[in-house]
Amino acid sequence: MTANPVLSETQGPQRYRYLTEIRLEDPDAVRRAALSRRPHPGPVSGSQNFIVAADHPARGALAVRDSPVAMADRHDLLDRLLTALANPAVDGVLASPDILDDLLLLGALDGKLIFGSMNRGGLTGLVNEIDDRFTGHTAKALQDIGATGGKMLTRICLEDPDTASALEASARAVDELAARKLVAMVEPFLSVRDNGRVRNDLSTDAVIKSVAIASALGSTSAYTWMKLPVVADMERVMAATTMPTVLLGGDPSGAPDDVFASWEAALALPGVQGLTVGRTLLYPQDGDVAAAVATAASLLNQHSTGTNALAEEATE
């Protein structure tokens, strides 16, 4: 068996041969890596979390800006993720099972928060895209690997009858996570069909309405977080919820300085617990992942008060 490439100077197309070999010869190594890693001490009030997202490929969403297949090269994506996770200000990762397993085998998640991506069945462009099946992590699987929680995209399309079953599935996942004391990171959108494709409505009122609906999913909200886009008038958006909220980056279409400025303003609002960003940082316009991650990290308040946010919620 070859050495773990994280601990070596392996370059070129052979640099991740280790992953294929160990999956072939010793697949139980994924479970052992999960159980043996040092866990993150947990989210705390006063210290905003910085989580890198890497679950886009599982939905067939490989595009970044004008490249339709930017995220198709798994080796390149892992390079970028390892660069991001090497920054000590990055608290963790949100990923689909395949990517999370790779990162566990590479030893890249020691001391990190882990969020699993649960519903990946609403493939981009699929005729029944709103029928977003839970084809990824289960609550039990996340508990078994010591994860912090699970994330679910929750698109609410009033003209699509599949919305009702999608909401029911999300509510069930919230309950299953809460029963295991795991965070349910809910990412809601009001969505519309535009020329046959699903488009998220990013108007302030639409985001507020999506928050109101998503906040009531499941029989308890004790372990629920919101994952919300940065839109106009974020003060009104954040006034719509008392739940810990992380900001998502979305498709990096704007100028980097403008994007970072919008994040900085939103991060200053009460209730905002941090960033959960993927393509904007992993595929920056100038290609410098380390610099993009460092810039984003500089925007966060990472001074802990020592009070566990989840415990604080449970006593309110």
Side-chain angles (χ1 to χ4, degrees):
M1 189 82 55
T2 58
N4 184 325
V6 166
L7 305 178
S8 70
E9 298 299 324
T10 305
Q11 299 294 327
Q14 297 294 317
R15 65 191 184 282
Y16 293 116
R17 180 179 175 182
Y18 165 85
L19 297 176
T20 304
E21 291 180 347
I22 201 166
R23 287 173 179 273
L24 177 68
E25 299 175 11
D26 185 17
D28 189 56
V30 174
R31 181 188 63 84
R32 296 198 306 274
L35 296 179
S36 64
R37 76 179 187 91
R38 176 173 55 86
H40 188 279
V44 294
S45 178
S47 182
Q48 292 176 321
N49 299 309
F50 188 2
I51 300 163
V52 176
D55 58 344
H56 307 85
R59 197 179 289 281
L62 302 175
V64 180
R65 287 184 293 275
D66 58 353
S67 173
V69 293
M71 300 187 77
D73 187 327
R74 181 54 56 88
H75 293 177
D76 176 64
L77 175 57
L78 288 174
D79 287 343
R80 294 168 184 269
L81 281 168
L82 293 177
T83 297
L85 289 165
N87 187 319
V90 174
D91 293 286
V93 68
L94 161 62
S96 53
D98 54 324
I99 293 176
L100 194 58
D101 289 349
D102 281 345
L103 294 174
L104 285 169
L105 288 173
L106 291 167
L109 299 181
D110 197 40
K112 303 293 186 181
L113 296 169
I114 291 178
F115 286 90
S117 194
M118 301 180 75
N119 58 333
R120 297 281 88 189
L123 304 180
T124 302
L126 189 69
V127 64
N128 57 333
E129 186 172 340
I130 295 298
D131 181 15
D132 200 349
R133 305 292 178 90
F134 280 68
T135 59
H137 284 109
T138 64
K140 182 182 183 303
L142 292 170
Q143 180 184 42
D144 288 346
I145 63 172
T148 311
K151 169 251 184 176
M152 65 209 73
L153 178 61
T154 305
R155 289 174 293 186
I156 304 157
C157 185
L158 300 181
E159 61 193 47
D160 194 315
D162 285 328
T163 293
S165 59
L167 288 173
E168 183 180 25
S170 288
R172 188 180 309 116
V174 169
D175 280 348
E176 291 173 352
L177 290 165
R180 294 168 171 82
K181 299 183 178 181
L182 300 179
V183 171
M185 184 186 287
V186 183
E187 181 180 358
F189 290 99
L190 279 191
S191 303
V192 296
R193 289 199 176 273
D194 187 1
N195 294 321
R197 297 187 67 85
V198 174
R199 176 178 60 81
N200 296 326
D201 185 345
L202 297 180
S203 66
T204 304
D205 286 347
V207 174
I208 290 172
K209 189 171 183 177
S210 75
V211 170
I213 295 168
S215 296
L217 292 174
S219 60
T220 177
S221 64
Y223 291 89
T224 299
W225 291 13
M226 292 287 112
K227 180 172 183 271
L228 302 177
V230 177
V231 298
D233 205 354
M234 279 300 291
E235 292 86 353
R236 288 179 57 214
V237 173
M238 290 309 302
T241 182
T242 57
M243 296 176 187
T245 298
V246 291
L247 307 176
L248 64 93
D251 192 9
S253 55
D257 288 346
D258 293 339
V259 172
F260 288 130
S262 68
W263 292 354
E264 185 173 24
L267 284 164
L269 297 173
V272 176
Q273 182 63 26
L275 292 171
T276 301
V277 181
R279 290 169 292 183
T280 304
L281 301 181
L282 294 176
Y283 296 86
Q285 288 184 9
D286 63 3
D288 192 339
V289 176
V293 170
T295 299
S298 71
L299 307 178
L300 280 79
N301 172 14
Q302 295 183 316
H303 300 290
S304 171
T305 62
T307 304
N308 187 290
L310 297 182
E312 198 170 70
E313 283 184 12
T315 59
E316 290 179 353

